Coordinates of all heavy atoms in Angstrom, one line a residue:
M1 N 14.1 -35.8 25.5 CA 13.1 -36.6 24.8 C 13.3 -36.8 23.4 O 13.0 -37.9 22.9 CB 11.8 -35.9 25.1 CG 10.6 -36.8 24.8 SD 10.7 -38.4 25.6 CE 9.5 -38.2 26.8
L2 N 13.8 -35.7 22.7 CA 14.2 -35.9 21.3 C 15.2 -37.0 21.1 O 15.1 -37.8 20.2 CB 14.7 -34.6 20.8 CG 15.2 -34.6 19.3 CD1 14.1 -35.0 18.4 CD2 15.8 -33.5 18.9
T3 N 16.2 -37.1 22.1 CA 17.2 -38.1 22.0 C 16.7 -39.6 21.9 O 16.9 -40.3 21.1 CB 18.2 -38.0 23.1 OG1 18.7 -36.6 23.1 CG2 19.4 -39.0 23.0
A4 N 15.7 -39.8 22.9 CA 15.0 -41.1 23.0 C 14.3 -41.4 21.7 O 14.2 -42.6 21.2 CB 14.1 -41.2 24.2
A5 N 13.7 -40.3 21.1 CA 12.8 -40.5 20.0 C 13.6 -40.9 18.8 O 13.3 -41.3 17.7 CB 12.0 -39.2 19.6
I6 N 15.0 -40.6 18.9 CA 15.9 -40.9 17.8 C 16.5 -42.3 18.1 O 16.5 -43.2 17.3 CB 17.0 -39.9 17.6 CG1 16.4 -38.6 17.1 CG2 18.0 -40.4 16.7 CD1 17.2 -37.3 17.2
Y7 N 17.1 -42.4 19.2 CA 17.9 -43.6 19.3 C 17.0 -44.9 19.7 O 17.5 -46.1 19.2 CB 18.7 -43.3 20.8 CG 19.9 -42.5 20.5 CD1 20.2 -41.4 21.4 CD2 20.8 -42.8 19.4 CE1 21.2 -40.6 21.3 CE2 21.9 -41.9 19.3 CZ 22.1 -40.8 20.2 OH 23.3 -40.1 20.0
I8 N 15.9 -44.9 20.3 CA 15.1 -46.0 20.5 C 14.6 -46.7 19.2 O 15.0 -48.0 18.9 CB 14.0 -45.7 21.5 CG1 14.6 -45.5 22.9 CG2 13.0 -47.0 21.5 CD1 13.4 -45.0 23.9
P9 N 14.0 -45.9 18.3 CA 13.7 -46.6 17.0 C 15.0 -47.0 16.3 O 14.9 -47.9 15.4 CB 12.9 -45.5 16.3 CG 13.0 -44.3 17.0 CD 13.5 -44.6 18.4
A10 N 16.0 -46.2 16.3 CA 17.2 -46.6 15.6 C 17.7 -48.0 16.1 O 18.2 -48.8 15.3 CB 18.4 -45.5 15.7
A11 N 17.8 -48.1 17.4 CA 18.2 -49.3 18.0 C 17.4 -50.6 17.5 O 18.0 -51.6 17.1 CB 18.1 -49.3 19.5
F12 N 16.0 -50.5 17.5 CA 15.2 -51.5 17.0 C 15.4 -51.7 15.5 O 15.3 -52.9 15.1 CB 13.8 -51.3 17.5 CG 13.7 -51.7 18.9 CD1 13.6 -50.8 19.9 CD2 13.7 -53.1 19.4 CE1 13.3 -51.1 21.3 CE2 13.6 -53.4 20.7 CZ 13.4 -52.3 21.6
A13 N 15.6 -50.6 14.9 CA 15.9 -50.8 13.3 C 17.2 -51.6 13.1 O 17.3 -52.4 12.2 CB 15.9 -49.5 12.6
E14 N 18.2 -51.1 13.8 CA 19.5 -52.0 13.6 C 19.4 -53.4 14.2 O 19.8 -54.3 13.5 CB 20.6 -51.3 14.6 CG 21.9 -52.0 14.2 CD 23.1 -51.4 15.0 OE1 22.8 -50.6 16.0 OE2 24.2 -51.8 14.9
I15 N 18.8 -53.6 15.3 CA 18.7 -54.9 15.8 C 17.9 -55.8 14.9 O 18.1 -57.0 14.5 CB 18.0 -55.0 17.2 CG1 19.0 -54.3 18.2 CG2 17.7 -56.4 17.6 CD1 18.3 -54.1 19.4
G16 N 16.7 -55.3 14.3 CA 15.8 -56.0 13.3 C 16.6 -56.3 12.1 O 16.4 -57.4 11.5
G17 N 17.2 -55.3 11.6 CA 18.1 -55.6 10.4 C 19.1 -56.6 10.5 O 19.3 -57.5 9.8
C18 N 19.9 -56.6 11.7 CA 20.9 -57.6 12.0 C 20.3 -58.9 12.2 O 20.8 -60.0 11.8 CB 21.6 -57.1 13.1 SG 22.8 -55.8 12.8
F19 N 19.1 -59.0 12.8 CA 18.4 -60.2 13.0 C 18.0 -60.9 11.7 O 18.1 -62.1 11.7 CB 17.3 -60.1 14.0 CG 16.5 -61.3 14.4 CD1 17.1 -62.1 15.3 CD2 15.4 -61.9 13.8 CE1 16.7 -63.3 15.8 CE2 14.8 -63.0 14.2 CZ 15.4 -63.9 15.2
C20 N 17.8 -60.2 10.8 CA 17.4 -60.8 9.4 C 18.5 -61.5 8.9 O 18.4 -62.6 8.4 CB 17.0 -59.7 8.5 SG 15.3 -59.0 8.9
F21 N 19.8 -60.9 9.0 CA 21.0 -61.7 8.7 C 21.2 -62.9 9.4 O 21.6 -63.9 9.0 CB 22.2 -60.7 8.7 CG 22.3 -59.8 7.5 CD1 21.5 -58.7 7.3 CD2 23.1 -60.1 6.5 CE1 21.6 -57.9 6.3 CE2 23.2 -59.3 5.4 CZ 22.4 -58.1 5.3
W22 N 21.0 -62.7 10.8 CA 21.1 -63.9 11.8 C 20.1 -65.0 11.2 O 20.5 -66.2 11.3 CB 20.8 -63.4 13.1 CG 20.8 -64.5 14.2 CD1 19.8 -65.4 14.4 CD2 21.9 -64.8 15.0 NE1 20.2 -66.3 15.5 CE2 21.5 -65.8 15.9 CE3 23.1 -64.3 15.2 CZ2 22.3 -66.4 16.9 CZ3 23.9 -64.7 16.2 CH2 23.6 -65.8 17.0
A23 N 18.8 -64.6 10.9 CA 17.7 -65.6 10.6 C 18.2 -66.3 9.4 O 18.1 -67.4 9.1 CB 16.5 -65.0 10.3
W24 N 18.9 -65.6 8.3 CA 19.3 -66.2 7.2 C 20.5 -67.1 7.3 O 20.4 -68.2 6.9 CB 19.7 -65.0 6.2 CG 20.3 -65.5 4.9 CD1 19.7 -66.4 3.9 CD2 21.5 -65.1 4.3 NE1 20.6 -66.6 2.9 CE2 21.8 -65.9 3.1 CE3 22.6 -64.3 4.8 CZ2 22.9 -65.6 2.3 CZ3 23.7 -64.1 4.1 CH2 23.8 -64.8 2.7
M25 N 21.5 -66.7 8.1 CA 22.7 -67.5 8.2 C 22.6 -68.4 9.2 O 23.1 -69.6 9.1 CB 23.9 -66.5 8.6 CG 24.2 -65.4 7.5 SD 25.1 -66.4 6.1 CE 26.5 -67.0 6.8
R26 N 21.9 -68.2 10.4 CA 21.9 -69.2 11.5 C 20.6 -70.0 11.6 O 20.6 -71.1 12.2 CB 22.2 -68.4 12.9 CG 23.5 -67.6 12.9 CD 24.7 -68.4 13.2 NE 24.6 -69.1 14.5 CZ 25.1 -68.6 15.6 NH1 25.7 -67.5 15.8 NH2 25.1 -69.3 16.7
L27 N 19.5 -69.5 11.2 CA 18.3 -70.2 11.3 C 17.8 -70.7 10.0 O 16.6 -71.4 10.0 CB 17.2 -69.2 11.9 CG 17.5 -68.6 13.3 CD1 16.6 -67.6 13.6 CD2 17.8 -69.6 14.3
G28 N 18.5 -70.6 9.0 CA 18.1 -71.2 7.7 C 16.9 -70.5 6.9 O 16.3 -71.2 6.0
R29 N 16.7 -69.3 7.3 CA 15.6 -68.7 6.5 C 16.0 -68.2 5.1 O 17.1 -68.3 4.8 CB 15.2 -67.4 7.3 CG 14.8 -67.6 8.7 CD 13.3 -68.1 8.9 NE 13.0 -68.6 10.2 CZ 12.8 -68.0 11.3 NH1 12.8 -66.6 11.2 NH2 12.6 -68.5 12.4
S30 N 14.9 -68.0 4.4 CA 15.2 -67.6 2.9 C 16.1 -66.3 2.9 O 16.0 -65.5 3.7 CB 13.9 -67.2 2.3 OG 14.0 -66.7 1.1
A31 N 16.9 -66.2 1.8 CA 17.7 -65.0 1.5 C 16.8 -63.8 1.3 O 17.3 -62.6 1.5 CB 18.5 -65.2 0.4
L32 N 15.5 -63.9 1.1 CA 14.7 -62.9 0.9 C 14.4 -62.0 2.3 O 14.2 -60.8 2.2 CB 13.2 -63.4 0.6 CG 13.1 -63.8 -0.8 CD1 11.8 -64.5 -1.2 CD2 13.6 -62.9 -2.0
V33 N 14.8 -62.5 3.4 CA 14.8 -61.7 4.6 C 15.8 -60.7 4.6 O 15.8 -59.8 5.4 CB 15.0 -62.6 5.9 CG1 13.7 -63.6 6.0 CG2 16.3 -63.3 6.1
L34 N 16.8 -60.8 3.7 CA 17.9 -59.8 3.6 C 17.3 -58.3 3.1 O 17.9 -57.5 3.3 CB 19.0 -60.3 2.8 CG 19.7 -61.6 3.4 CD1 20.8 -62.0 2.3 CD2 20.3 -61.4 4.7
V35 N 16.2 -58.6 2.3 CA 15.7 -57.3 1.8 C 15.2 -56.5 2.9 O 15.7 -55.2 3.0 CB 14.7 -57.7 0.7 CG1 14.0 -56.3 0.3 CG2 15.3 -58.2 -0.5
P36 N 14.3 -56.9 3.8 CA 13.9 -56.0 4.7 C 14.9 -55.7 5.8 O 15.0 -54.5 6.5 CB 12.6 -56.7 5.4 CG 12.8 -58.1 5.1 CD 13.5 -58.2 3.7
G37 N 15.9 -56.7 5.9 CA 16.9 -56.5 6.9 C 17.8 -55.3 6.3 O 18.3 -54.4 7.1
C38 N 18.2 -55.3 5.0 CA 19.0 -54.1 4.6 C 18.1 -52.8 4.6 O 18.8 -51.7 5.0 CB 19.3 -54.3 3.1 SG 20.6 -55.6 2.9
L39 N 16.9 -52.7 4.5 CA 16.1 -51.7 4.4 C 16.1 -51.2 5.9 O 16.2 -49.9 6.2 CB 14.7 -51.8 3.9 CG 14.5 -52.1 2.5 CD1 13.2 -52.4 2.2 CD2 15.0 -50.9 1.8
S40 N 16.0 -52.0 6.9 CA 15.9 -51.6 8.3 C 17.3 -51.1 8.6 O 17.4 -50.0 9.4 CB 15.7 -53.0 9.1 OG 15.6 -52.6 10.5
L41 N 18.5 -51.5 8.1 CA 19.7 -50.9 8.6 C 19.9 -49.6 7.9 O 20.5 -48.7 8.5 CB 20.9 -51.9 8.0 CG 20.9 -53.3 8.9 CD1 21.9 -54.1 8.2 CD2 21.3 -53.0 10.3
I42 N 19.3 -49.4 6.7 CA 19.2 -48.0 6.2 C 18.6 -47.1 7.0 O 19.0 -45.8 7.3 CB 18.8 -48.0 4.7 CG1 19.7 -48.7 3.7 CG2 18.5 -46.6 4.2 CD1 19.2 -49.1 2.3
V43 N 17.4 -47.4 7.5 CA 16.6 -46.5 8.4 C 17.5 -46.3 9.6 O 17.5 -45.2 10.1 CB 15.2 -47.2 8.7 CG1 14.6 -46.6 9.8 CG2 14.3 -47.3 7.6
F44 N 18.1 -47.4 10.2 CA 18.9 -47.0 11.4 C 19.9 -46.0 11.2 O 20.1 -45.1 12.0 CB 19.5 -48.4 11.8 CG 21.0 -48.4 12.4 CD1 21.0 -47.8 13.6 CD2 22.0 -48.7 11.8 CE1 22.2 -47.6 14.4 CE2 23.3 -48.4 12.5 CZ 23.4 -48.0 13.7
A45 N 20.7 -46.1 10.0 CA 21.8 -45.3 9.8 C 21.2 -43.8 9.6 O 21.8 -42.8 10.1 CB 22.6 -45.6 8.6
W46 N 20.1 -43.7 8.9 CA 19.5 -42.3 8.8 C 19.0 -41.8 10.0 O 19.3 -40.6 10.2 CB 18.3 -42.6 7.8 CG 17.4 -41.3 7.5 CD1 17.7 -40.3 6.8 CD2 16.1 -41.1 8.1 NE1 16.7 -39.4 6.6 CE2 15.7 -39.8 7.6 CE3 15.3 -41.8 8.8 CZ2 14.5 -39.4 7.9 CZ3 14.1 -41.3 9.3 CH2 13.6 -40.0 8.7
L47 N 18.4 -42.6 10.8 CA 17.9 -42.0 12.3 C 19.1 -41.6 13.0 O 18.9 -40.5 13.7 CB 17.2 -43.0 12.9 CG 15.7 -43.4 12.4 CD1 15.2 -44.5 13.1 CD2 14.8 -42.2 12.7
L48 N 20.2 -42.2 13.0 CA 21.3 -41.8 13.8 C 21.9 -40.5 13.4 O 22.5 -39.8 14.2 CB 22.4 -42.9 13.8 CG 23.2 -43.1 15.1 CD1 22.2 -43.4 16.3 CD2 24.1 -44.2 15.0
T49 N 21.7 -40.1 12.2 CA 22.2 -38.7 11.7 C 21.4 -37.6 12.4 O 22.0 -36.4 12.4 CB 22.0 -38.6 10.2 OG1 20.8 -38.5 9.8 CG2 22.8 -39.6 9.5
F50 N 20.4 -37.8 13.1 CA 19.6 -36.8 13.7 C 20.1 -36.7 15.2 O 19.4 -35.9 15.9 CB 18.1 -37.1 13.6 CG 17.5 -37.0 12.3 CD1 17.3 -38.1 11.5 CD2 17.4 -35.8 11.7 CE1 16.8 -38.1 10.2 CE2 16.8 -35.6 10.3 CZ 16.5 -36.8 9.7
S51 N 20.9 -37.3 15.6 CA 21.6 -37.3 16.9 C 21.8 -35.9 17.3 O 22.4 -35.1 16.6 CB 22.6 -38.2 17.1 OG 23.3 -37.9 18.4
P52 N 21.6 -35.4 18.5 CA 21.8 -34.0 19.1 C 23.3 -34.0 19.5 O 23.8 -32.9 19.8 CB 21.0 -33.9 20.3 CG 20.7 -35.2 20.7 CD 20.7 -36.2 19.5
A53 N 24.2 -35.1 19.4 CA 25.6 -35.1 19.8 C 26.3 -34.2 18.9 O 25.9 -34.0 17.6 CB 26.1 -36.5 19.8
D54 N 27.4 -33.6 19.2 CA 28.2 -32.6 18.5 C 29.2 -33.3 17.6 O 29.6 -32.6 16.7 CB 28.9 -31.8 19.5 CG 29.9 -32.4 20.3 OD1 29.9 -33.7 20.4 OD2 30.6 -31.8 21.0
N55 N 29.4 -34.6 17.5 CA 30.0 -35.4 16.5 C 29.6 -36.9 16.4 O 29.0 -37.3 17.3 CB 31.6 -35.2 16.8 CG 32.0 -35.9 18.0 OD1 31.7 -37.0 18.3 ND2 32.7 -35.2 18.8
A56 N 30.1 -37.5 15.3 CA 29.7 -38.8 15.1 C 30.1 -39.8 16.3 O 29.4 -40.6 16.7 CB 30.0 -39.3 13.8
G57 N 31.3 -39.7 16.7 CA 31.7 -40.5 17.7 C 31.0 -40.6 19.0 O 30.6 -41.5 19.6
R58 N 30.6 -39.3 19.5 CA 29.8 -39.2 20.5 C 28.4 -39.8 20.4 O 27.8 -40.3 21.1 CB 29.8 -37.9 21.1 CG 31.0 -37.3 21.8 CD 30.7 -36.2 22.7 NE 32.0 -35.7 23.3 CZ 32.7 -34.6 23.0 NH1 32.3 -33.8 22.3 NH2 33.9 -34.5 23.8
A59 N 27.9 -39.5 19.1 CA 26.6 -40.1 18.9 C 26.5 -41.5 18.9 O 25.7 -42.2 19.5 CB 26.1 -39.7 17.4
Y60 N 27.6 -42.2 18.6 CA 27.6 -43.6 18.5 C 27.8 -44.2 19.9 O 27.2 -45.2 20.3 CB 28.7 -44.2 17.6 CG 28.7 -43.8 16.2 CD1 29.9 -43.7 15.5 CD2 27.5 -43.5 15.5 CE1 29.8 -43.1 14.2 CE2 27.5 -43.0 14.2 CZ 28.6 -42.9 13.6 OH 28.5 -42.5 12.3
A61 N 28.5 -43.3 20.8 CA 28.9 -43.8 22.0 C 27.6 -43.7 22.9 O 27.2 -44.6 23.8 CB 29.8 -42.9 22.7
I62 N 26.8 -42.7 22.8 CA 25.6 -42.5 23.5 C 24.6 -43.6 23.0 O 23.9 -44.2 23.8 CB 25.0 -41.1 23.2 CG1 25.8 -40.0 23.7 CG2 23.6 -40.9 23.8 CD1 25.6 -38.7 23.1
Y63 N 24.6 -43.8 21.8 CA 23.6 -44.8 21.2 C 23.9 -46.2 21.8 O 23.1 -47.0 21.9 CB 23.9 -44.8 19.6 CG 23.2 -46.0 19.0 CD1 21.8 -46.1 18.9 CD2 24.0 -47.0 18.4 CE1 21.2 -47.2 18.4 CE2 23.4 -48.2 17.9 CZ 21.9 -48.2 17.8 OH 21.4 -49.3 17.3
G64 N 25.2 -46.4 22.0 CA 25.6 -47.8 22.5 C 24.9 -48.2 23.7 O 24.4 -49.4 23.9
G65 N 24.7 -47.3 24.7 CA 23.9 -47.6 25.8 C 22.4 -48.0 25.5 O 21.9 -49.0 26.1
V66 N 21.8 -47.2 24.6 CA 20.4 -47.5 24.3 C 20.4 -49.0 23.6 O 19.5 -49.7 23.8 CB 19.9 -46.4 23.4 CG1 18.6 -46.7 22.9 CG2 19.9 -45.2 24.1
Y67 N 21.4 -49.2 22.7 CA 21.4 -50.3 21.9 C 21.5 -51.6 23.0 O 20.8 -52.6 22.6 CB 22.6 -50.4 21.0 CG 22.7 -51.7 20.1 CD1 22.1 -51.9 19.0 CD2 23.7 -52.7 20.6 CE1 22.1 -52.9 18.3 CE2 23.8 -53.9 19.9 CZ 23.0 -54.0 18.9 OH 23.1 -55.2 18.0
I68 N 22.3 -51.4 23.9 CA 22.4 -52.7 24.9 C 20.9 -52.9 25.5 O 20.6 -54.2 25.6 CB 23.4 -52.5 25.8 CG1 24.8 -52.5 25.2 CG2 23.4 -53.3 27.1 CD1 26.0 -51.9 26.0
V69 N 20.4 -51.9 25.9 CA 19.0 -52.1 26.6 C 18.1 -52.7 25.5 O 17.3 -53.7 25.8 CB 18.4 -50.8 27.2 CG1 17.1 -51.1 27.7 CG2 19.4 -50.3 28.4
A70 N 18.1 -52.1 24.3 CA 17.1 -52.5 23.2 C 17.5 -53.9 22.9 O 16.5 -54.8 22.7 CB 17.2 -51.7 22.1
S71 N 18.6 -54.4 23.0 CA 19.0 -55.9 22.7 C 18.4 -56.8 23.6 O 17.9 -57.8 23.2 CB 20.6 -56.0 22.5 OG 21.1 -55.3 21.5
L72 N 18.4 -56.4 24.9 CA 18.0 -57.3 25.9 C 16.5 -57.2 25.9 O 15.8 -58.3 26.1 CB 18.4 -56.7 27.3 CG 19.9 -56.8 27.6 CD1 20.2 -56.1 28.8 CD2 20.3 -58.3 27.6
I73 N 15.9 -56.2 25.4 CA 14.4 -56.3 25.3 C 14.0 -57.1 24.1 O 13.0 -57.8 24.1 CB 13.9 -54.8 25.1 CG1 13.9 -54.0 26.4 CG2 12.3 -54.8 24.5 CD1 13.7 -52.4 26.2
W74 N 14.8 -57.0 23.0 CA 14.6 -57.7 21.8 C 14.6 -59.3 22.2 O 13.8 -60.1 21.8 CB 15.6 -57.4 20.8 CG 15.5 -58.3 19.5 CD1 16.0 -59.6 19.4 CD2 14.7 -58.1 18.3 NE1 15.7 -60.1 18.1 CE2 14.9 -59.0 17.4 CE3 14.0 -56.9 17.8 CZ2 14.5 -59.1 16.1 CZ3 13.6 -56.9 16.7 CH2 13.6 -58.0 15.8
S75 N 15.7 -59.7 23.0 CA 15.9 -61.0 23.3 C 14.8 -61.6 24.2 O 14.3 -62.6 24.0 CB 17.3 -61.1 24.1 OG 17.5 -62.4 24.6
W76 N 14.2 -60.7 25.0 CA 13.0 -61.1 25.8 C 11.8 -61.2 25.0 O 11.0 -62.3 25.0 CB 12.9 -60.0 26.9 CG 11.9 -60.5 27.9 CD1 11.2 -61.6 28.1 CD2 11.4 -59.6 29.0 NE1 10.4 -61.5 29.1 CE2 10.5 -60.2 29.8 CE3 11.8 -58.3 29.3 CZ2 9.9 -59.7 30.9 CZ3 11.1 -57.8 30.4 CH2 10.4 -58.4 31.3
L77 N 11.4 -60.2 24.2 CA 10.2 -60.3 23.4 C 10.2 -61.2 22.1 O 9.2 -61.9 21.9 CB 9.9 -58.8 22.8 CG 9.7 -57.8 24.0 CD1 9.3 -56.5 23.3 CD2 8.4 -58.3 25.0
M78 N 11.4 -61.2 21.4 CA 11.4 -62.0 20.3 C 12.1 -63.4 20.4 O 11.7 -64.3 19.6 CB 12.3 -61.3 19.1 CG 11.8 -59.8 18.9 SD 10.0 -59.9 18.4 CE 10.3 -60.2 16.7
E79 N 12.8 -63.6 21.3 CA 13.5 -64.9 21.5 C 13.2 -65.6 22.9 O 13.6 -66.7 23.1 CB 15.0 -64.7 21.4 CG 15.3 -64.2 20.0 CD 17.0 -64.0 19.8 OE1 17.6 -65.0 19.6 OE2 17.4 -62.8 20.1
G80 N 12.3 -64.9 23.6 CA 11.8 -65.5 24.9 C 12.8 -65.7 26.0 O 12.6 -66.6 27.0
L81 N 13.9 -64.9 26.0 CA 14.8 -64.9 27.0 C 14.9 -63.7 27.9 O 15.4 -62.7 27.4 CB 16.2 -65.2 26.5 CG 17.5 -65.3 27.4 CD1 17.3 -66.5 28.3 CD2 18.7 -65.2 26.7
P82 N 14.2 -63.7 29.0 CA 14.1 -62.5 29.8 C 15.6 -62.2 30.4 O 16.3 -63.0 30.7 CB 13.2 -62.8 31.0 CG 13.2 -64.2 31.0 CD 13.5 -64.8 29.6
P83 N 15.7 -60.8 30.5 CA 17.0 -60.4 31.3 C 17.1 -60.9 32.7 O 16.1 -60.8 33.3 CB 17.0 -58.9 31.0 CG 15.5 -58.5 30.9 CD 14.9 -59.6 30.2
D84 N 18.2 -61.3 33.0 CA 18.4 -61.6 34.5 C 19.1 -60.3 35.3 O 19.2 -59.3 34.6 CB 19.4 -62.8 34.6 CG 20.8 -62.7 34.0 OD1 21.3 -61.5 34.0 OD2 21.4 -63.7 34.0
R85 N 19.3 -60.4 36.5 CA 19.7 -59.3 37.3 C 21.1 -58.8 36.8 O 21.3 -57.6 36.8 CB 19.8 -59.7 38.7 CG 20.8 -60.7 39.1 CD 20.7 -61.1 40.6 NE 21.6 -62.2 40.8 CZ 22.3 -62.4 41.8 NH1 22.4 -61.4 42.7 NH2 23.2 -63.4 42.0
W86 N 22.0 -59.6 36.2 CA 23.2 -59.2 35.7 C 23.1 -58.4 34.3 O 23.7 -57.6 34.2 CB 24.2 -60.5 35.5 CG 24.4 -61.1 36.7 CD1 23.8 -62.3 37.2 CD2 25.3 -60.6 37.8 NE1 24.3 -62.7 38.4 CE2 25.1 -61.7 38.8 CE3 26.1 -59.5 38.0 CZ2 25.7 -61.5 40.0 CZ3 26.7 -59.5 39.3 CH2 26.5 -60.5 40.2
D87 N 22.1 -58.8 33.5 CA 21.8 -58.2 32.3 C 21.3 -56.7 32.7 O 21.7 -55.7 32.2 CB 20.6 -58.8 31.4 CG 21.2 -60.2 31.0 OD1 22.4 -60.3 30.6 OD2 20.3 -61.0 30.8
I88 N 20.5 -56.7 33.7 CA 19.8 -55.4 34.1 C 20.7 -54.5 34.7 O 20.9 -53.3 34.5 CB 18.6 -55.7 35.0 CG1 17.5 -56.2 34.3 CG2 18.1 -54.3 35.7 CD1 16.3 -56.9 35.2
G89 N 21.7 -55.0 35.5 CA 22.7 -54.2 36.2 C 23.7 -53.7 35.1 O 24.1 -52.5 35.2
G90 N 24.1 -54.6 34.3 CA 25.1 -54.2 33.2 C 24.4 -53.0 32.3 O 25.1 -52.1 31.9
A91 N 23.2 -53.2 31.8 CA 22.5 -52.3 31.1 C 22.4 -51.0 31.8 O 22.5 -49.9 31.1 CB 21.1 -52.8 30.7
T92 N 22.1 -51.0 33.1 CA 22.0 -49.8 33.8 C 23.3 -49.0 33.9 O 23.2 -47.7 33.7 CB 21.5 -50.1 35.3 OG1 20.2 -50.7 35.2 CG2 21.3 -48.8 36.1
I93 N 24.3 -49.7 34.0 CA 25.7 -48.9 34.1 C 26.0 -48.4 32.6 O 26.5 -47.3 32.6 CB 26.7 -50.1 34.3 CG1 26.7 -50.3 35.9 CG2 28.2 -49.5 34.0 CD1 27.6 -51.6 36.2
C94 N 25.4 -49.1 31.6 CA 25.7 -48.6 30.3 C 24.9 -47.4 29.9 O 25.3 -46.3 29.4 CB 25.4 -49.7 29.1 SG 26.6 -51.0 29.1
L95 N 23.6 -47.3 30.5 CA 22.7 -46.1 30.2 C 23.3 -45.0 31.1 O 23.3 -43.8 30.5 CB 21.4 -46.4 30.7 CG 20.5 -47.1 29.8 CD1 19.1 -47.5 30.2 CD2 20.4 -46.4 28.3
V96 N 23.8 -45.2 32.3 CA 24.4 -44.1 33.0 C 25.7 -43.5 32.3 O 25.8 -42.2 32.1 CB 24.9 -44.6 34.4 CG1 25.7 -43.6 35.2 CG2 23.6 -44.9 35.3
G97 N 26.5 -44.3 31.7 CA 27.6 -43.9 31.0 C 27.2 -43.0 29.7 O 27.6 -42.1 29.5
A98 N 26.2 -43.6 29.1 CA 25.7 -42.8 27.9 C 25.1 -41.5 28.3 O 25.3 -40.4 27.6 CB 24.6 -43.7 27.2
A99 N 24.4 -41.4 29.4 CA 23.9 -40.2 30.0 C 25.0 -39.2 30.3 O 24.8 -38.0 30.0 CB 22.9 -40.5 31.2
I100 N 26.0 -39.7 31.0 CA 27.3 -38.8 31.2 C 27.8 -38.3 29.9 O 28.1 -37.1 29.8 CB 28.2 -39.5 32.1 CG1 27.7 -39.9 33.4 CG2 29.5 -38.8 32.1 CD1 28.6 -40.9 34.3
I101 N 27.9 -39.0 28.9 CA 28.4 -38.5 27.6 C 27.5 -37.5 27.0 O 28.0 -36.4 26.6 CB 28.7 -39.7 26.6 CG1 29.8 -40.6 27.2 CG2 29.2 -39.2 25.2 CD1 29.9 -42.0 26.4
L102 N 26.2 -37.7 27.1 CA 25.2 -36.9 26.4 C 25.0 -35.6 27.1 O 25.1 -34.5 26.5 CB 23.8 -37.5 26.4 CG 22.8 -36.7 25.9 CD1 22.9 -36.3 24.5 CD2 21.4 -37.6 26.0
L103 N 25.1 -35.7 28.5 CA 24.7 -34.4 29.3 C 25.9 -33.7 29.9 O 25.8 -32.8 30.6 CB 23.7 -34.9 30.5 CG 22.5 -35.5 30.0 CD1 21.7 -36.1 31.2 CD2 21.6 -34.7 29.1
A104 N 27.1 -34.1 29.7 CA 28.2 -33.5 30.3 C 28.4 -32.1 29.8 O 28.2 -31.8 28.6 CB 29.5 -34.3 29.9
P105 N 28.7 -31.2 30.6 CA 28.9 -29.8 30.3 C 30.2 -29.7 29.3 O 31.4 -30.1 29.9 CB 29.0 -29.1 31.6 CG 29.4 -30.1 32.6 CD 28.9 -31.5 32.2
R106 N 30.0 -29.1 28.3 CA 31.2 -28.9 27.5 C 31.3 -27.5 27.1 O 30.4 -26.7 26.9 CB 31.1 -29.8 26.2 CG 31.2 -31.3 26.6 CD 31.3 -32.2 25.4 NE 31.8 -33.5 25.6 CZ 30.8 -34.5 26.0 NH1 29.8 -34.2 26.3 NH2 31.4 -35.7 26.3
G107 N 32.5 -27.0 27.1 CA 32.8 -25.6 26.6 C 32.8 -25.4 25.2 O 32.3 -24.9 24.4

């Protein structure tokens, strides 16, 4: 549960921060959107340091599965594009892979 409490808000902080840059570059929004975007990316990086993984590489690998699911949710809620069956299938595979990395017995 602690892992989800870290990775889920981290994913939305990263997506939100990156979306601010997208909005500035691709949607013609004011450069002022970069301020909350940068702050959001700082929150993302800070949250990821609380990962229970034993090293940074594994923390990022586990996070990758959560990020993919969060990206599809963002796309649906913020951009009006619901995930299709291929999105859901691919995201499920990614979450299974992340769970294997997180929960694997290690000596």
Side-chain angles (χ1 to χ4, degrees):
M1 192 51 103
L2 173 63
T3 305
I6 294 166
Y7 284 129
I8 293 170
F12 284 103
E14 182 183 13
I15 295 164
C18 291
F19 186 76
C20 287
F21 280 80
W22 179 277
W24 173 57
M25 294 290 298
R26 303 277 302 262
L27 303 177
R29 304 280 166 76
S30 165
L32 291 175
V33 300
L34 298 178
V35 174
C38 288
L39 293 173
S40 187
L41 291 171
I42 289 168
V43 169
F44 151 70
W46 175 72
L47 284 169
L48 216 54
T49 65
F50 294 102
S51 169
D54 58 355
N55 65 48
R58 283 197 182 118
Y60 305 149
I62 296 161
Y63 168 73
V66 175
Y67 178 82
I68 289 167
V69 172
S71 297
L72 293 171
I73 293 169
W74 177 278
S75 178
W76 189 5
L77 297 178
M78 303 303 282
E79 300 180 80
L81 181 66
D84 61 22
R85 64 185 172 135
W86 299 105
D87 294 329
I88 293 167
T92 301
I93 290 168
C94 292
L95 281 179
V96 169
I100 291 169
I101 294 168
L102 175 64
L103 303 173
R106 294 194 164 77

